[in-house]
Amino acid sequence: MIRVGAHVDSTDPLPAAAAIDADAAQIFVGDPQAWKTPATTYPDGPEALKEAAAADDVALYVHAPYVINVASPNNRIRIPSRKLLAGTVKAATAIGAAGVIVHGGHVTAGTDDAEGVGNWRKALEALDLTCPVLIENTAGGNHSMARTPDALARLWDTVAPFGVGFCLDTCHAWAGGIPLPEGVDLLRSITGRIDVVHANDSVGALDSGR
């Protein structure tokens, strides 16, 4: 079964999903631009949301905060990122989410990309994967872990044994220089899977980085 949905308000996601006849819904479990501890905003609590989603047969996905960058060589970013990702996985597990979608992150100029890949390995080694983690490809940056096919292949060689999944964002792929639709087969040949698709248009040209 292929489920189709959209990102909806996290306070009351199921009526929002029903209004567009969706059987999947993506939500945040906290402020996507902050380092605050994730917390479900559903008024009756996470267990109630889990039960209601199951009753409505809606698959919930959680998008991790955008500030997370577990690949970073900067301790002040990398360590809080690991903690926030772990908290997001925990919160997603509590609502019975089908997956946590997180950006692949990047290293800074002058840092070997291999360091970022190694940081991903360390993050996953310490993470209790009670809910699947789905790494999303990204649009820009010359040192991104999941922008180009070559970068994604380096990352996947390390993260695949941990059972992580893949989220394909069509805008990010196009902006990152991966032509569509033929690039889908290329990405699948690298990751072996596509668990979720963010079907987004793009304002920029191919390889614009926007």
Side-chain angles (χ1 to χ4, degrees):
M1 175 182 179
I2 296 177
R3 294 176 178 267
V4 178
H7 189 102
V8 298
D9 178 70
S10 58
T11 303
D12 206 7
L14 298 178
I20 56 174
D21 197 26
D23 48 25
Q26 179 179 274
I27 62 172
F28 294 122
V29 286
D31 186 340
Q33 302 286 2
W35 294 100
K36 297 177 182 178
T37 301
T40 305
T41 57
Y42 191 69
D44 296 326
E47 185 62 30
L49 177 55
K50 178 180 179 178
E51 293 175 358
D56 288 357
D57 192 27
V58 173
L60 295 175
Y61 290 85
V62 170
H63 199 299
Y66 300 129
V67 294
I68 290 176
N69 181 10
V70 300
S72 176
N74 186 335
N75 288 343
R76 294 184 178 182
I77 296 175
R78 184 181 67 257
I79 293 173
S81 291
R82 291 179 184 175
K83 182 178 179 180
L84 186 54
L85 179 58
T88 303
V89 168
K90 183 177 180 180
T93 301
I95 64 171
V100 170
I101 296 160
V102 61
H103 293 168
H106 61 276
V107 296
T108 50
T111 302
D112 192 329
D113 290 358
E115 183 175 339
V117 172
N119 286 339
W120 255 109
R121 175 181 55 78
K122 293 173 184 176
L124 291 170
E125 286 174 342
L127 188 61
D128 188 7
L129 284 172
T130 52
C131 180
V133 168
L134 314 178
I135 298 176
E136 179 181 352
N137 62 308
T138 49
N142 294 326
H143 299 280
S144 296
M145 298 292 98
R147 175 184 178 180
T148 67
D150 286 347
L152 188 62
R154 284 194 298 271
L155 177 63
W156 223 257
D157 282 344
T158 293
V159 302
F162 293 93
V164 300
F166 181 59
C167 172
L168 166 62
D169 187 297
T170 56
C171 168
H172 293 174
W174 180 259
I178 300 172
L180 296 172
E182 57 269 31
V184 174
D185 289 337
L186 172 60
L187 294 172
R188 187 184 285 115
S189 73
I190 294 169
T191 63
R193 58 197 291 169
I194 295 176
D195 299 271
V196 173
V197 174
H198 284 169
N200 293 315
D201 200 356
S202 179
V203 298
L206 178 67
D207 206 21
S208 68
R210 295 183 64 190

